[in-house]
Amino acid sequence: MRILITGACGMFGRDLIEVLSEGHELYLLDVKPFPVSLSSQFSTLPLDITDGEKTYRQVTKINPDIVIHTAAYTDVDGCETNRDLAFRINGLGTRNIALTCQRFDTELLYISTDYVFDGEKGEPYAEFDRPNPQSIYAKSKYWGELYINSLSNRFYIIRSSWLFGKNGKNFVTTILNLAKEKKEIEVVNDQIGSPTYTKDLARAIAQLIGAEREDSSNRANLYGIWHITNSGQCSWYEFAREILQGSGVLVKPISSEKLNRPAKRPKFSVLDNYVWRLQGWEPLRHWKEALKDYLKEIK
């Protein structure tokens, strides 16, 4: 299969490359310079997805079977002060990708976020629950979803949450770095979600886009919205305690109000992987088990 990955230099993009490189023809796009390790193995092209004309030319030149669209502006607080940039990348950039895929009947897989929900439901969100994004980041990502829904016929929208992986900055590395400098760390305890290992998410996506090709007459059976996360849930405080277990560093709970971040986060954004279960597939492993493997990997 010819697979084009946008945002290929990002944390999740790098794990997708690792998981999908065997048995598939990969093409990598990113606005950032590519490291030698990628450019020497794969076809790599610099691309700013906010440029509609260039996006159209590059994607059509490759003529992929599927585009996996991971490119995004993911600095949640940064989006609050860079509103136009957030909507340009996450909204219009996604529109440019969706339009190109639609014109050439190419499948599109879009990575979205648990933050499209307001967190007021009090129980896990299923794929059919109505989004109500609160922050600029969440609104811009949901705008991307709306573009795909209206412009594309052959798509997967994958909502995931609290991603951590070896190829980028994430909550785990932030906590580990703070633990080198401090004996006490304050972490919010009133935001609940499901930490998700990027490698596990990449494997799940490989299963999703591969399974539908087992029967070529039913290619469209798995299109639509999916929630895919590791199993289990916790607060950021509980997540931090698990990361630093046995380190001797004291983790203290604080409220979101006291932390006073620029962007509003949902209080409870756990995603119910309902469609995944209906499909009869095994749930992804518990986030604690995934975290153990990740800590071994980075050490």
Side-chain angles (χ1 to χ4, degrees):
M1 194 186 333
R2 293 165 68 88
I3 301 174
L4 186 154
I5 301 172
T6 71
C9 289
M11 179 174 68
F12 181 51
R14 294 290 291 271
D15 276 335
L16 273 174
I17 294 166
E18 185 177 329
V19 169
L20 296 173
S21 58
E22 231 178 281
H24 300 292
E25 192 176 344
L26 300 188
Y27 295 84
L28 314 181
L29 301 180
D30 206 306
V31 71
K32 302 173 188 173
F34 284 92
V36 175
S37 59
L38 292 182
S39 58
S40 61
Q41 296 181 65
F42 306 101
S43 297
T44 58
L45 291 167
L47 177 66
D48 178 356
I49 60 171
T50 65
D51 187 323
E53 187 178 338
K54 286 183 180 177
T55 299
Y56 180 84
R57 287 204 307 266
Q58 296 284 36
V59 175
T60 55
K61 188 186 300 182
I62 294 167
N63 190 28
D65 297 304
I66 184 170
V67 174
I68 301 181
H69 180 39
T70 78
Y73 182 27
T74 58
D75 182 344
V76 178
D77 289 324
C79 286
E80 293 296 311
T81 52
N82 295 283
R83 178 189 177 98
D84 289 353
L85 182 63
F87 282 109
R88 189 176 295 118
I89 295 173
N90 297 340
L92 297 185
T94 300
R95 177 203 63 183
N96 294 337
I97 295 290
L99 278 170
T100 303
C101 288
Q102 189 271 338
R103 286 170 184 163
F104 290 89
D105 203 27
T106 300
E107 292 179 2
L108 172 59
L109 188 148
Y110 174 62
I111 304 299
S112 191
T113 172
D114 57 322
Y115 281 13
V116 299
F117 297 108
D118 59 21
E120 299 299 325
K121 183 181 177 183
E123 59 185 72
Y125 287 93
E127 289 83 350
F128 49 76
D129 283 321
R130 185 184 296 275
N132 185 26
Q134 300 295 300
S135 66
I136 297 299
Y137 166 71
K139 289 175 181 177
S140 66
K141 289 294 289 181
Y142 183 54
W143 197 18
E145 288 192 16
L146 293 176
Y147 270 131
I148 289 170
N149 264 304
S150 61
L151 298 174
S152 180
N153 294 320
R154 307 174 68 207
F155 66 84
Y156 315 82
I157 291 173
I158 310 297
R159 296 184 185 133
S160 195
S161 64
W162 295 22
L163 297 185
F164 61 92
K166 67 177 181 179
N167 294 299
K169 182 182 177 183
N170 59 79
F171 181 77
V172 181
T173 55
T174 297
I175 292 298
L176 290 174
N177 288 332
L178 284 173
K180 295 175 184 176
E181 305 167 0
K182 301 179 180 181
K183 293 182 179 179
E184 291 186 5
I185 299 174
E186 293 183 329
V187 183
V188 294
N189 69 340
D190 55 2
Q191 296 173 27
I192 311 297
S194 297
T196 303
Y197 188 18
T198 50
K199 192 168 285 187
D200 287 349
L201 179 58
R203 290 174 182 139
I205 285 175
Q207 178 177 338
L208 179 61
I209 66 175
E212 61 135 19
R213 286 165 179 78
E214 291 174 5
D215 181 355
S216 59
S217 66
N218 292 315
R219 290 176 61 87
N221 278 4
L222 301 181
Y223 293 156
I225 299 173
W226 294 75
H227 290 176
I228 304 178
T229 65
N230 281 112
S231 301
Q233 63 187 55
C234 63
S235 67
W236 289 113
Y237 163 72
E238 292 166 325
F239 192 14
R241 287 191 62 184
E242 191 70 22
I243 294 165
L244 297 177
Q245 194 174 45
S247 68
V249 176
L250 177 64
V251 183
K252 300 175 66 175
I254 61 169
S255 67
S256 299
E257 185 179 3
K258 182 178 179 182
L259 186 62
N260 194 27
R261 300 286 290 274
K264 184 178 180 181
R265 271 80 166 170
K267 294 177 183 177
F268 190 96
S269 61
V270 178
L271 298 177
D272 183 359
N273 297 192
Y274 187 58
V275 176
W276 189 272
R277 293 202 313 277
L278 287 180
Q279 194 64 34
W281 293 343
E282 285 294 316
L284 274 63
R285 60 182 170 166
H286 198 279
W287 66 266
K288 287 185 179 181
E289 185 182 343
L291 176 63
K292 287 178 183 177
D293 278 359
Y294 171 64
L295 291 175
K296 289 176 185 175
E297 185 177 26
I298 62 174
K299 286 179 180 178

